[in-house]
Amino acid sequence: MASTQSRANPELTLLQTRDRSARGEPSNGTVTLGLRFPLGSSDRNRATVASAGADQTEAEVALVLERERLQADQRSAQAGLAAARAVLDAATERARLALETRGFFDKAFRLGETDLPTRLRVELEAGQAQRELARARIDLSLAIATLRQRLGLLPE
């Protein structure tokens, strides 16, 4: 707008005055109507155009920075998702192995080949592996939700 409007807007002036020539005389009132059309381009217009150009440049730089920040957030969320999947895979394998081990030690305990403290330790480790697996599943869900949010998608 500043570049297309080359001069200032027209101005309409309305002025009312009252004056009294001597004490005790009635006052005279006058109304003055003025109309001003600016004809040339002014320095004010050039300053407005320059200011608008500076604001545009600043907004473009802010846009580039914001896009870079959003892309970095998306890459970070994708890396977090990949890490959460790796943790889930490891926790799943650990839980599977812990269940197998628990089965072997349970059988060995029933046959009298292992003692109770060893069996209880194996049970504890299997329980811990199951808790870690549940925590890994929750962390994976959180990583998926974070990535969807960074991509601007609605929650599922």
Side-chain angles (χ1 to χ4, degrees), residues 1-151:
M1 185 173 115
S3 63
T4 59
Q5 187 177 8
S6 62
R7 55 183 156 219
N9 293 327
E11 294 178 7
L12 177 66
T13 307
L14 181 64
L15 178 68
Q16 179 184 10
T17 58
R18 291 184 184 204
D19 62 350
R20 203 180 324 189
S21 52
R23 191 173 183 111
E25 290 186 21
S27 62
N28 294 331
T30 59
V31 175
T32 306
L33 181 65
L35 188 59
R36 187 182 127 201
F37 292 101
L39 298 176
S41 109
S42 64
D43 290 335
R44 181 187 68 83
N45 188 40
R46 277 185 257 147
T48 304
V49 170
S51 175
D55 289 345
Q56 180 183 5
T57 303
E58 183 179 337
E60 288 171 353
V61 168
L63 176 66
V64 168
L65 290 175
E66 188 63 19
R67 279 189 181 150
E68 288 175 359
R69 185 189 67 79
L70 289 174
Q71 289 172 351
D73 284 350
Q74 289 173 0
R75 285 191 302 270
S76 172
Q78 288 171 346
L81 179 61
R85 283 190 175 135
V87 168
L88 179 64
D89 291 343
T92 302
E93 183 64 18
R94 181 172 183 245
R96 184 187 66 78
L97 292 174
L99 286 177
E100 271 184 32
T101 304
R102 184 173 75 181
F104 293 145
F105 274 92
D106 185 42
K107 184 177 180 182
F109 180 74
R110 279 186 280 125
L111 295 174
E113 295 178 5
T114 58
D115 57 349
L116 181 62
T118 304
R119 182 174 185 265
L120 292 176
R121 182 183 51 80
V122 169
E123 288 287 332
L124 176 68
E125 289 175 1
Q128 288 174 344
Q130 290 298 318
R131 280 192 301 276
E132 286 178 13
L133 178 60
R135 188 175 308 125
R137 287 181 181 146
I138 291 170
D139 289 344
L140 178 65
S141 296
L142 177 63
I144 290 170
T146 301
L147 178 62
R148 289 185 59 80
Q149 184 179 10
R150 296 292 190 264
L151 293 174

